Amino acid sequence: MSEETEVTLLVLDADPPPRLGRLTGRARILHGDESTLARQLPLADVLLVWDFTSDAVRRAWPGGGPRPRWVHTASAGVDHLLCPELVASDTVVTNARGIFDLPIAEYVSGLVIAMAKDLPGTLELQRQRRWRHRETQRVAGSRAVVVGSGPIGRETARLLRALGVVTALVGRTARPGVHGAQDLPPLLSRADWVVCAAPLTDATRGMFDAAAFGAMPPSARFINVGRGPLVVEDDLVDALRKRWIAGAALDVFGTEPLPPQSPLWDVPGLLVSPHMSGDTVGWRDELGAQFVELYERWASGEPLPNVVDKKRGYVPSHD
């Protein structure tokens, strides 16, 4: 579009707000929150979902009046904003694909090493001032299944292979280097590590349930860095308590923040982290810079990268 036309950019704010200094004088920037979004949407040409934990877009979008032509979310997942009306619209949706891939892959690799070498046990024994020698697991030569063949899953698989882990990548459909969903059950039965990095869709919701945990060997450990509702949390709790699997680590949950009364805090063998696997120092600045670059392409009429297939609920891979 022509930059001579004043563009109204609406930002669904979070604290701290994005740095958009390069857009000063080039766009009329409005700031909104959950209480104002519904009445501001008809005014906006572009919506930046900076508060990517909010469901406000999904609630406000079905209302009356014009809607933004482009929505960008500062997150990899888009399940928090998609609703039938947005899916059916002509609005283009983009995400923050590329920002979180390596940080999350590093986090997963750190968890694999920590659990294989029993670092949680070492810290607890140190706290108790107890000297207890143990043997730990060798990482190289172990087997991993990474579920989710997008950039985060692919980068996770790459780093695990660098550690010597024999790694299978699973996506929705089979293609070179990627197993299809139909291969998942037999792969689970031989896995030492199962990493969930899948998008949340109607097809993947609750995919890790009692049947999935029951298919894993007792030595397996499960890691979720995708979305909380991909896991039936009660089934995971049951699997850990019954020792169907050896351990797990969750960075995402069905309810966030995780309530203090949740049983997940106290389950033996479970590591809990507060949705931080992709958040390295400077990540917000990277997200802001990415949006400004996308905005400049959009304002110049260039094709946008990171376009979400709204019916699938993620950015399709083309390899």
Side-chain angles (χ1 to χ4, degrees), residues 13-26:
D13 264 336
D15 189 30
R19 296 183 179 180
L20 303 175
R22 279 164 53 187
L23 301 184
T24 301
R26 301 169 58 188

Side-chain angles (χ1 to χ4, degrees), residues 233-298:
E233 291 175 349
D234 288 345
D235 289 356
L236 175 60
V237 169
D238 197 46
L240 288 167
R241 286 177 173 166
K242 292 179 177 177
R243 298 185 179 178
W244 289 0
I245 60 175
L250 300 180
D251 186 55
V252 288
F253 303 87
T255 299
E256 297 182 6
L258 188 65
Q261 66 272 19
S262 171
L264 294 171
W265 290 107
D266 301 312
V267 178
L270 177 60
L271 296 176
V272 170
S273 59
H275 204 149
M276 58 181 281
S277 61
D279 302 346
T280 52
V281 174
W283 65 285
R284 290 184 178 88
D285 289 341
E286 291 182 46
L287 288 171
Q290 181 189 51
F291 172 73
V292 171
E293 290 173 7
L294 290 179
Y295 180 91
E296 290 174 341
R297 294 186 63 150
W298 178 82

Side-chain angles (χ1 to χ4, degrees), residues 10 33 35-44 60 67:
L10 173 60
D33 56 27
S35 66
T36 64
L37 184 65
R39 68 172 180 269
Q40 290 175 302
L41 272 179
L43 307 175
R67 288 295 180 260

Side-chain angles (χ1 to χ4, degrees), residues 214-235:
M216 300 176 195
S219 60
R221 294 180 174 91
F222 174 75
I223 299 170
N224 187 18
V225 290
R227 282 291 183 265
L230 295 165
V231 177
V232 180
E233 291 175 349
D234 288 345
D235 289 356

